[in-house]
Amino acid sequence: MKNKNLLATIAVLAVVVVGGIFFSTKKDMKKEAGQTDVAKVGVLQFVTHEALDEIYRGIQDGLAEEGFAGDKINIDFMNSEGDQGKIATMSKQLVANGNQVVVGIATPAAQGLASATSDLPVVMGAITDPVGAKLVKSLEKPGANVTGVACPQPIGQQLELIKKLTPKAKTIGVLYSSNEDNSKLNVEKFTELAEKEGYTVLAYPVPSSNEIASTMAVMTSKVDAIWVPQDNAIASAFKTVVASNKEAKVPIFPSADTMVKEGGLASVVVSQYGLGVSTGKMTAKLLKGAKPAETPVDVVDQGAPIINKKVAAELGITIPEEVEKAAGEIVE
Ligand code: TRP
């Protein structure tokens, strides 16, 4: 009898203990599964300006469209504010923080992340020329841990627009930063094309945004029109560019809708927000397991004209009807 009781007690205890272990491991497993349910994405934005801010908004919406919204995602966001030293340290941090995918907005940020890791997937956000910037081997087959969204500017169409809006222009000045690979490459392409069409192109590289006002003062006296590539330093100081042109009134043709809205005359552009959405979707694809090496770069290059009519009026330029009709957006 005594033995029976003892056995019963042991049996009950065993059930409690085993059950307890089972229950607690189940709880742990649940917790672990819960943790992997939250996607971890690191984002490094090169600098603050309208276009890159809009791209970041688009990235969040693109991720959300693919199901990574609310408590399903944790975005570890950093902004290097144009500082090369910060790019290096922040890239290392984002790689070390346990993110599953890291995204670089603008060329210098993507380059920083790519040199901080050779295995974590890196997404390029709105990069002018990924091959030229040595971020991927080819657009079709990136080959390593980097892929993303490229936005080569429609330079031919931009030059056509310059011809239509300023038919008397002979000399075009090019304003850009001497530190950005994305600008150097496009300036070369633009110069080649414009010279072929008979224009004289004068290049004005600036080493920092502190030199923009003085460079503009010299440049505006020598050129009939100004072209600006997708340059981050110029974009972040675009108000200075416009202000330094107040007296000279030279038509400015930048390479982003945001810069036209801020006082440029016109351009042929792709939407910055749309570039962000595409980048967000690409990030979602990699989170779901796609391999960057075999994921082709998404090239977004179908631009539409945008015209700032207020600026046109200030400059005394009449927009030809056919140009206005073809415009995707008119800023009044
Ligand atoms: N394409 C730029 C780069 O590769 C980044 C960029 C995207 C940008 N949109 C822009 C720069 C608009 C200036 C203006 O770095």
Side-chain angles (χ1 to χ4, degrees), residues 49 51-52 55 105-108 125-129 151 153 180 182 229-232 235 255-256 258-259 272 275:
H49 62 71
L52 301 193
I55 291 168
I105 308 179
T107 300
I127 303 302
T128 299
D129 183 352
C151 53
Q153 287 105 80
E180 292 179 36
N182 42 298
Q230 263 190 17
D231 184 288
N232 296 289
S255 295
T258 44
M259 289 192 270
Q272 298 298 314
L275 286 172

Side-chain angles (χ1 to χ4, degrees), residues 42-47 49 51-57 59 77-78 80 102-111 113 123-127 232 272 276 279:
V43 177
L44 179 60
Q45 179 171 328
F46 172 50
V47 71
H49 62 71
L52 301 193
D53 291 351
E54 240 171 74
I55 291 168
Y56 180 48
R57 272 196 290 280
I59 290 176
F77 177 83
M78 296 189 190
S80 56
V102 288
V103 185
I105 308 179
T107 300
Q111 287 173 329
L113 290 171
V123 178
M124 308 179 291
I127 303 302
N232 296 289
Q272 298 298 314
T279 306

Side-chain angles (χ1 to χ4, degrees), residues 35 55 80 128-129 207 209 240 244 249 252 259 264 276 280 288 292 312 316 326:
Q35 273 170 353
I55 291 168
S80 56
T128 299
D129 183 352
S209 37
T240 310
S244 344
K249 294 191 167 161
I252 303 174
M259 289 192 270
K288 287 175 185 166

